Amino acid sequence: MVNIEIDWPPETDLAVKEEMFAAELARGQELARAGQLRRLWRIPGRWANWSLYEVADATELHNALTSLPLWPWMTVQVHALADHPNDPRQLGITVERGQ
Amino acid sequence: MVNIEIDWPPETDLAVKEEMFAAELARGQELARAGQLRRLWRIPGRWANWSLYEVADATELHNALTSLPLWPWMTVQVHALADHPNDPRQLGITVERGQ
Amino acid sequence: MVNIEIDWPPETDLAVKEEMFAAELARGQELARAGQLRRLWRIPGRWANWSLYEVADATELHNALTSLPLWPWMTVQVHALADHPNDPRQLGITVERGQ
Amino acid sequence: MVNIEIDWPPETDLAVKEEMFAAELARGQELARAGQLRRLWRIPGRWANWSLYEVADATELHNALTSLPLWPWMTVQVHALADHPNDPRQLGITVERGQ
Amino acid sequence: MVNIEIDWPPETDLAVKEEMFAAELARGQELARAGQLRRLWRIPGRWANWSLYEVADATELHNALTSLPLWPWMTVQVHALADHPNDPRQLGITVERGQ
Amino acid sequence: MVNIEIDWPPETDLAVKEEMFAAELARGQELARAGQLRRLWRIPGRWANWSLYEVADATELHNALTSLPLWPWMTVQVHALADHPNDPRQLGITVERGQ
Amino acid sequence: MVNIEIDWPPETDLAVKEEMFAAELARGQELARAGQLRRLWRIPGRWANWSLYEVADATELHNALTSLPLWPWMTVQVHALADHPNDPRQLGITVERGQ
Amino acid sequence: MVNIEIDWPPETDLAVKEEMFAAELARGQELARAGQLRRLWRIPGRWANWSLYEVADATELHNALTSLPLWPWMTVQVHALADHPNDPRQLGITVERGQ
Amino acid sequence: MVNIEIDWPPETDLAVKEEMFAAELARGQELARAGQLRRLWRIPGRWANWSLYEVADATELHNALTSLPLWPWMTVQVHALADHPNDPRQLGITVERGQ
Amino acid sequence: MVNIEIDWPPETDLAVKEEMFAAELARGQELARAGQLRRLWRIPGRWANWSLYEVADATELHNALTSLPLWPWMTVQVHALADHPNDPRQLGITVERGQ
């Protein structure tokens, strides 16, 4: 589980920002297709997100995160996760919810 | 996303602890089957976990969490999540990883 | 704006807890009828709440809060609020929302 | 419940600041008329506020907050609120206070 | 300037508490008459206070504070104060306010 | 009770700083003569102070503080104070101390 | 890298403490012989330590830590480590130091 | 044990950064060959590391750390370590792990 | 430099406390005569102190601190100190102050 | 006891830095000869120090600290110290240590 806050100078030129964003999106999709980045959520009201990675070890995770174009502006907190015997997915419980 | 720390007195009688755990497991599975509790991970080295709930609003989440038998011993932090346009699941990217 | 966390011993006898809660509810309604307590929300997953008081000064607020039967178990944080010129209520904007 | 702190460079040109403020006020009123922004208070002594939003979920809240012109300069903390059975408004207690 | 929080077990016998309070009040008045304790305010909603002492040095302050009967239950934070050239009292400005 | 920290760029031109300080002193004296600013102390070693204001409510306090010329460089924390029944001034104890 | 603080009631019977310590020492040596626990240092002045584990993943680490007899009294913080290309051991630099 | 966070301006010219890195690597190897720097790990996702130094005292450590070319951009936290009687290396337990 | 906070149950029998204090005083004097404990100051208003130790390394310091009878009730923070070239004692400046 | 952290822009011209340091050293020696600054230690790995001042009150300390040329770049925390009856110097224990 990775928590990322982005500290981006508010005065930056809009074209620079858009180019950076397009590159970020592209790299994020590559990480997803490689099976490393699994889920991604926004933290409401902030330029920040929670993401769920599935990697072999901390070195692979470091390489994935630092490959993101916005990484120099990020503050990253990694939270290691261990399996929980009651995890619904481990128990095979995957009911669809009529939202 | 919910972070839970459990502060349980170390001297408690073992039988009491086991009975409580069985009830906790049973209630957790009910929440999973109701489609509210989606994922559950341990925080390594702690009696604590991260869990992912899918609920209509904060009131439904409060009712789910307080229905857990261990709730009186828990310290709970709720982190609201908003959709992220780059979430792999939203984008339909769900590659299986040969772990 | 008042933030309250309650730290209640998990092992307390259930009858004691219920009697205390009935008294708390009754006193809360008295404060509401006196026009001091305006709104009350739960913090999801915790035995804690946010409440909105309308009082003449900090002394009246202190007297209202310490009159609550559960006060000895509370940790209270008071956040003073000043009028904001853009407050929708001050501007007379009170659209009903079809929720 | 949303807590916002604004970190604005003190040396900014006054005209820029006034233009920004006019836009912020206009957008805030739109959110109020849409029934999303309900209340707004200043935190005394700071360029900061507490506000009360009524939205369907965290995604709608994120979109509302990021639509504010001052958002790039804001630090936002969202506090999710659950219904409380003793909320005076839920109980229908709405005494006017002779202030 | 001294900040004091009191952490008193909620279950204590009422007679014990009242006896302790009477002793605390008496000792506080002695410190006031000795010219050490100058002002005393409650922190609204908490069993806590801010107080203003006028003492020769930190050793005299320590002796004054630890002479209070409730001291074993207190958490004390001392904030040293230096003279400010713009202090209204130093400047001789002591307008009465028609409150 | 108000705690103020000032974060002023160390490289600023000395003339600018002196002009700002003269304006700050003048405005502070106006607040003192209006009976709002009562006491002012330096926090030793910092460009920071504690001050004691006497105002009708948080809105009046906000207006007083934001009228200070240095306000854009300040970080302000307001601590609301309630009357304490043992306050030496309330009890009429005002011994002069032969310092 | 694992940081452990132990919060042990000071009044515990000495015989209980010694028996617990002998069991802790024995289990620690088993983890060392299994190649999981690599190094162990005391934090001076505290009943706390830093330790270096070498494990396949967070689940193996959790199982190792919770197998320690003192675990119910521990507060554990796990810091994941990634390889650093300049690590002296990776570079094969292992000079002995004449201490 | 030394924790280092590096706060480097994201906009720096790439050539400057590479030259600085080469100098940092060279100096780090000198410290390793002098037997001062023993181990070095990355903190995943951050430009930060944990390192293990073996030095006679705090003065020697200060001189080693401040000799690094990137030191002016570092935030350094030193954690003193004392010998632990159960340290596997002290006990002579150095099993190789089939990773 | 060592910071010590003592968390002692307020209800303890007075005779127990006095016996403990006498033992603490005796052990402190032994550490002083051994040249390890150099200075000792109270933190005003708290049962806490700052002390200055002069020891060969962290292991010697740990042994000195844990030999104090009150150690099981202490929370200890060690701050390592390095020589400063401008230290008045290093420079041989030891003017007596007519206090 | 004074804790000082210095936050100095890493890109500053070296000549400016050296001139500032010479002035800082000179002023520090004046404070030492005046009997105000007693001891000075570096915090290993940081541009920071602990110092021991002996002054009549907080106002004299503030004047001493703000007279240092580097003061505008410092973050200063003052920790007031009270006499401790077990202080080795008060007890006249000043054994020389064969370090």
Side-chain angles (χ1 to χ4, degrees):
Chain A
M1 184 76 55
V2 180
N3 174 289
I4 294 177
E5 291 273 340
I6 294 170
D7 187 12
W8 176 271
E11 298 80 3
T12 316
D13 182 65
L14 196 63
V16 173
K17 189 174 169 179
E18 285 179 356
E19 185 183 3
M20 188 67 89
F21 269 44
E24 183 79 8
L25 174 59
R27 182 65 192 135
Q29 295 189 357
E30 288 174 12
L31 294 177
R33 282 197 212 93
Q36 294 177 312
L37 173 60
R38 292 308 202 169
R39 298 297 311 270
L40 181 62
W41 298 274
R42 273 197 177 127
I43 299 177
R46 305 178 74 89
W47 192 1
N49 59 65
W50 283 98
S51 53
L52 180 63
Y53 278 80
E54 195 173 318
V55 289
D57 56 27
T59 304
E60 182 185 341
L61 179 59
H62 185 77
N63 293 337
L65 290 166
T66 56
S67 75
L68 290 163
L70 278 171
W71 184 73
W73 289 268
M74 292 178 178
T75 299
V76 178
Q77 299 273 1
V78 171
H79 300 264
L81 299 176
D83 294 339
H84 195 301
N86 297 1
D87 178 19
R89 185 169 299 181
Q90 305 277 346
L91 297 172
I93 306 176
T94 55
V95 177
E96 247 351 83
R97 192 169 202 241
Q99 171 101 272
Chain B
M1 183 78 53
V2 179
N3 173 290
I4 294 177
E5 291 273 339
I6 294 170
D7 186 14
W8 175 272
E11 298 79 3
T12 315
D13 183 66
L14 196 63
V16 173
K17 188 174 169 178
E18 284 181 355
E19 185 182 4
M20 188 67 90
F21 270 45
E24 183 79 8
L25 174 60
R27 181 65 191 135
Q29 295 190 356
E30 287 175 13
L31 295 177
R33 280 195 213 94
Q36 295 176 311
L37 173 61
R38 291 309 201 168
R39 297 297 310 272
L40 182 62
W41 298 273
R42 273 194 178 130
I43 299 177
R46 306 177 74 89
W47 192 1
N49 58 65
W50 284 99
S51 52
L52 181 63
Y53 278 79
E54 195 173 319
V55 290
D57 56 28
T59 304
E60 181 186 343
L61 179 58
H62 185 78
N63 292 338
L65 290 165
T66 57
S67 74
L68 290 164
L70 278 171
W71 183 73
W73 289 269
M74 292 178 178
T75 301
V76 178
Q77 298 273 2
V78 171
H79 300 264
L81 300 175
D83 294 339
H84 195 301
N86 298 1
D87 178 19
R89 186 169 297 181
Q90 306 277 346
L91 297 172
I93 307 176
T94 56
V95 177
E96 250 347 86
R97 193 170 200 243
Q99 171 107 272
Chain C
M1 185 75 55
V2 180
N3 173 289
I4 294 177
E5 292 272 340
I6 294 170
D7 186 14
W8 176 270
E11 297 80 2
T12 316
D13 183 66
L14 196 64
V16 173
K17 188 173 169 179
E18 285 181 355
E19 186 182 2
M20 188 66 90
F21 269 45
E24 183 79 8
L25 173 59
R27 182 64 191 137
Q29 295 190 357
E30 287 175 13
L31 295 176
R33 280 194 214 93
Q36 295 177 311
L37 173 60
R38 291 309 201 167
R39 298 297 310 271
L40 181 62
W41 299 272
R42 272 196 178 130
I43 299 177
R46 306 177 74 90
W47 192 1
N49 58 66
W50 283 99
S51 51
L52 180 63
Y53 278 80
E54 194 172 319
V55 290
D57 55 28
T59 304
E60 182 185 341
L61 179 58
H62 185 78
N63 292 339
L65 290 166
T66 57
S67 75
L68 290 165
L70 278 171
W71 183 74
W73 289 269
M74 292 177 179
T75 300
V76 178
Q77 298 273 3
V78 171
H79 301 263
L81 300 176
D83 294 339
H84 195 301
N86 297 2
D87 178 20
R89 186 169 297 180
Q90 306 277 345
L91 297 172
I93 307 176
T94 55
V95 176
E96 247 351 83
R97 193 168 199 243
Q99 171 101 272
Chain D
M1 185 75 55
V2 180
N3 174 290
I4 295 177
E5 291 273 340
I6 295 170
D7 187 13
W8 176 270
E11 297 80 2
T12 316
D13 183 64
L14 197 62
V16 173
K17 188 173 170 180
E18 285 180 354
E19 185 183 2
M20 188 67 89
F21 270 45
E24 182 80 8
L25 174 58
R27 181 66 190 134
Q29 295 190 356
E30 287 174 13
L31 294 177
R33 282 196 212 93
Q36 295 177 311
L37 172 62
R38 291 309 201 169
R39 298 296 311 271
L40 181 62
W41 299 273
R42 271 197 179 128
I43 299 177
R46 306 177 73 90
W47 192 1
N49 58 65
W50 283 98
S51 52
L52 181 63
Y53 278 80
E54 196 173 318
V55 290
D57 56 28
T59 304
E60 182 186 342
L61 179 58
H62 185 77
N63 293 338
L65 290 166
T66 56
S67 75
L68 290 164
L70 278 171
W71 184 72
W73 289 268
M74 293 177 178
T75 300
V76 178
Q77 298 273 2
V78 171
H79 300 264
L81 300 175
D83 294 339
H84 195 300
N86 298 1
D87 178 20
R89 186 169 298 181
Q90 305 276 346
L91 296 171
I93 306 176
T94 55
V95 177
E96 249 349 85
R97 193 170 200 241
Q99 170 104 274
Chain E
M1 184 76 54
V2 179
N3 174 289
I4 295 178
E5 291 272 340
I6 294 170
D7 186 14
W8 176 270
E11 297 80 3
T12 316
D13 182 67
L14 196 64
V16 173
K17 188 173 170 179
E18 284 181 354
E19 186 181 2
M20 188 66 90
F21 269 46
E24 183 79 7
L25 174 59
R27 182 63 191 138
Q29 295 190 356
E30 287 175 13
L31 294 177
R33 282 196 211 92
Q36 295 176 310
L37 173 61
R38 291 310 201 166
R39 298 296 311 270
L40 182 61
W41 298 273
R42 272 195 179 130
I43 299 176
R46 304 177 75 90
W47 192 359
N49 59 66
W50 284 98
S51 52
L52 180 63
Y53 278 80
E54 194 172 319
V55 289
D57 55 28
T59 304
E60 183 186 341
L61 179 58
H62 185 78
N63 292 338
L65 290 166
T66 56
S67 75
L68 290 164
L70 278 172
W71 184 73
W73 289 269
M74 291 176 179
T75 299
V76 178
Q77 299 273 2
V78 171
H79 301 263
L81 300 176
D83 294 339
H84 195 302
N86 296 3
D87 178 21
R89 186 169 296 181
Q90 306 277 345
L91 296 172
I93 306 176
T94 56
V95 177
E96 248 351 83
R97 191 167 202 244
Q99 169 104 273
Chain F
M1 185 76 53
V2 180
N3 175 291
I4 295 176
E5 292 272 340
I6 294 168
D7 186 13
W8 176 270
E11 298 80 2
T12 316
D13 183 65
L14 197 62
V16 173
K17 188 173 170 179
E18 284 180 355
E19 186 182 3
M20 188 66 90
F21 269 44
E24 182 80 7
L25 174 59
R27 181 66 191 136
Q29 295 190 357
E30 288 174 12
L31 294 177
R33 281 197 212 92
Q36 295 177 311
L37 172 61
R38 291 311 201 165
R39 299 297 310 272
L40 182 62
W41 298 273
R42 273 196 179 129
I43 299 177
R46 305 177 75 90
W47 192 1
N49 59 65
W50 284 99
S51 52
L52 181 63
Y53 278 80
E54 195 173 318
V55 290
D57 56 28
T59 304
E60 182 186 341
L61 180 58
H62 185 78
N63 292 338
L65 290 166
T66 55
S67 75
L68 291 164
L70 278 171
W71 184 73
W73 289 269
M74 292 177 179
T75 300
V76 178
Q77 298 273 1
V78 171
H79 300 263
L81 300 175
D83 294 339
H84 195 300
N86 297 3
D87 178 19
R89 187 170 295 182
Q90 306 277 345
L91 296 171
I93 307 176
T94 56
V95 178
E96 248 349 85
R97 194 170 200 241
Q99 168 100 273
Chain G
M1 185 76 54
V2 180
N3 174 289
I4 295 177
E5 291 273 339
I6 294 170
D7 187 13
W8 176 270
E11 298 79 5
T12 316
D13 183 66
L14 196 63
V16 173
K17 188 174 169 178
E18 284 180 355
E19 186 182 2
M20 188 66 90
F21 269 45
E24 182 80 8
L25 174 59
R27 182 64 191 136
Q29 295 191 358
E30 287 175 13
L31 295 177
R33 281 196 211 94
Q36 295 176 311
L37 172 61
R38 291 309 202 167
R39 298 297 311 271
L40 181 62
W41 298 272
R42 272 195 178 129
I43 299 177
R46 305 177 75 90
W47 193 1
N49 58 66
W50 284 99
S51 52
L52 180 63
Y53 278 79
E54 196 172 317
V55 290
D57 56 27
T59 304
E60 181 186 341
L61 180 59
H62 185 77
N63 293 338
L65 290 166
T66 56
S67 75
L68 290 164
L70 278 170
W71 184 72
W73 290 269
M74 292 177 178
T75 301
V76 178
Q77 298 273 2
V78 171
H79 300 263
L81 299 176
D83 295 338
H84 196 300
N86 297 2
D87 178 18
R89 186 169 297 182
Q90 306 277 346
L91 297 173
I93 305 176
T94 57
V95 178
E96 249 347 87
R97 193 169 200 242
Q99 170 104 272
Chain H
M1 185 76 55
V2 180
N3 174 290
I4 295 177
E5 292 273 340
I6 294 169
D7 187 12
W8 176 270
E11 298 80 3
T12 316
D13 182 66
L14 197 63
V16 173
K17 188 173 170 180
E18 284 180 355
E19 185 181 4
M20 188 66 90
F21 269 44
E24 183 78 7
L25 173 60
R27 182 65 191 136
Q29 295 190 357
E30 287 175 12
L31 295 177
R33 282 196 210 93
Q36 294 177 313
L37 172 61
R38 292 310 201 165
R39 298 297 310 271
L40 181 63
W41 298 273
R42 272 197 178 128
I43 299 176
R46 304 177 74 90
W47 192 0
N49 58 66
W50 284 98
S51 52
L52 180 63
Y53 279 79
E54 195 172 318
V55 290
D57 56 27
T59 304
E60 182 186 341
L61 179 58
H62 185 78
N63 292 337
L65 290 166
T66 56
S67 75
L68 290 164
L70 278 171
W71 184 73
W73 290 269
M74 292 176 178
T75 300
V76 178
Q77 297 274 3
V78 171
H79 300 264
L81 300 176
D83 294 340
H84 196 300
N86 297 2
D87 178 19
R89 186 169 296 181
Q90 305 276 346
L91 297 172
I93 306 175
T94 56
V95 177
E96 242 358 78
R97 193 169 200 241
Q99 169 107 277
Chain I
M1 184 77 53
V2 181
N3 174 289
I4 295 177
E5 291 273 338
I6 294 170
D7 186 13
W8 176 271
E11 298 79 3
T12 316
D13 183 66
L14 195 63
V16 173
K17 187 174 169 178
E18 285 180 354
E19 186 182 2
M20 188 66 90
F21 269 45
E24 182 80 6
L25 174 59
R27 182 63 191 137
Q29 295 191 357
E30 287 175 13
L31 295 177
R33 282 196 211 93
Q36 295 176 311
L37 173 60
R38 292 307 202 167
R39 299 295 311 271
L40 182 62
W41 298 273
R42 272 196 179 128
I43 299 177
R46 304 177 75 90
W47 193 0
N49 58 66
W50 284 99
S51 52
L52 181 62
Y53 278 79
E54 194 172 318
V55 289
D57 55 27
T59 304
E60 182 186 341
L61 180 58
H62 185 78
N63 293 337
L65 290 166
T66 56
S67 74
L68 290 164
L70 278 171
W71 184 73
W73 290 269
M74 292 177 177
T75 300
V76 178
Q77 298 274 2
V78 171
H79 301 263
L81 299 175
D83 295 339
H84 195 300
N86 297 4
D87 178 19
R89 186 169 297 181
Q90 306 277 346
L91 296 172
I93 305 176
T94 56
V95 177
E96 251 346 88
R97 192 168 202 244
Q99 168 106 273
Chain J
M1 184 76 55
V2 180
N3 174 290
I4 295 176
E5 292 272 341
I6 294 169
D7 187 13
W8 177 270
E11 297 80 3
T12 317
D13 183 65
L14 196 63
V16 173
K17 187 174 171 179
E18 283 180 357
E19 185 181 3
M20 189 65 90
F21 269 45
E24 182 80 8
L25 174 60
R27 182 64 191 137
Q29 295 190 358
E30 287 175 13
L31 294 177
R33 281 196 211 93
Q36 294 176 312
L37 172 60
R38 291 310 202 167
R39 297 299 309 272
L40 181 63
W41 298 273
R42 272 195 179 130
I43 299 177
R46 304 178 74 91
W47 192 1
N49 59 64
W50 284 97
S51 52
L52 181 63
Y53 278 80
E54 195 173 318
V55 290
D57 56 27
T59 305
E60 182 186 341
L61 179 58
H62 185 77
N63 293 338
L65 289 166
T66 55
S67 74
L68 290 164
L70 278 171
W71 184 72
W73 289 270
M74 292 177 178
T75 300
V76 178
Q77 297 274 1
V78 171
H79 300 263
L81 300 175
D83 294 338
H84 195 301
N86 297 3
D87 178 19
R89 186 169 295 181
Q90 305 277 347
L91 296 172
I93 306 177
T94 56
V95 178
E96 243 356 79
R97 190 166 203 244
Q99 168 99 274

